Amino acid sequence: MGQFGNQPDFATNDIKEIATVTNTIDQTTFLNGSIIYIGDNTTLGSDGCMVVIPAGVRAPGGGLPTAAQSVAFYGLQAGGFLPVTVDYVLASNASNTTTVQKLIAAK
């Protein structure tokens, strides 16, 4: 998805619900460079937040990334997409918590 020559402007495959966000970083939670649709923002009085590890991030020296390498995006609204591709959506990192819900991963 996006404005790149080799990507369509819409999701085409590997569409799946992210039933529960977790801080587990392994093959079971790997999204392989997916875009994320935000279905619900239930935070009261503020914009939503999502903690992610962007696509391609690896631990120093190789291997799986760590929660310390995550990034928090704020100002997310229901019915929109996170503007980056990601490999993991985390429940939280050291200072942020994912507050948006009903997430869909797609490519």
Side-chain angles (χ1 to χ4, degrees):
M1 177 159 182
Q3 298 297 317
F4 299 100
N6 63 347
Q7 293 182 329
D9 289 333
F10 48 86
T12 58
N13 58 39
D14 292 334
I15 300 169
K16 61 183 172 185
E17 180 181 0
I18 301 173
T20 304
V21 292
T22 176
N23 281 350
T24 301
I25 298 172
D26 63 19
Q27 282 304 112
T28 65
T29 58
F30 182 59
L31 298 172
N32 195 22
S34 294
I35 53 101
I36 307 297
Y37 172 78
I38 301 150
D40 190 19
N41 175 5
T42 58
T43 32
L44 301 175
S46 66
D47 291 329
C49 175
M50 188 184 317
V51 179
V52 301
I53 297 177
V57 172
R58 299 289 175 255
L64 293 173
T66 67
Q69 294 172 287
S70 64
V71 178
F73 286 86
Y74 287 91
L76 305 175
Q77 298 295 319
F81 288 89
L82 186 68
V84 298
T85 57
V86 303
D87 282 344
Y88 300 92
V89 176
L90 303 180
S92 63
N93 63 15
S95 56
N96 304 289
T97 300
T98 294
T99 60
V100 292
Q101 300 174 346
K102 297 187 179 177
L103 306 176
I104 304 290
K107 292 185 187 182

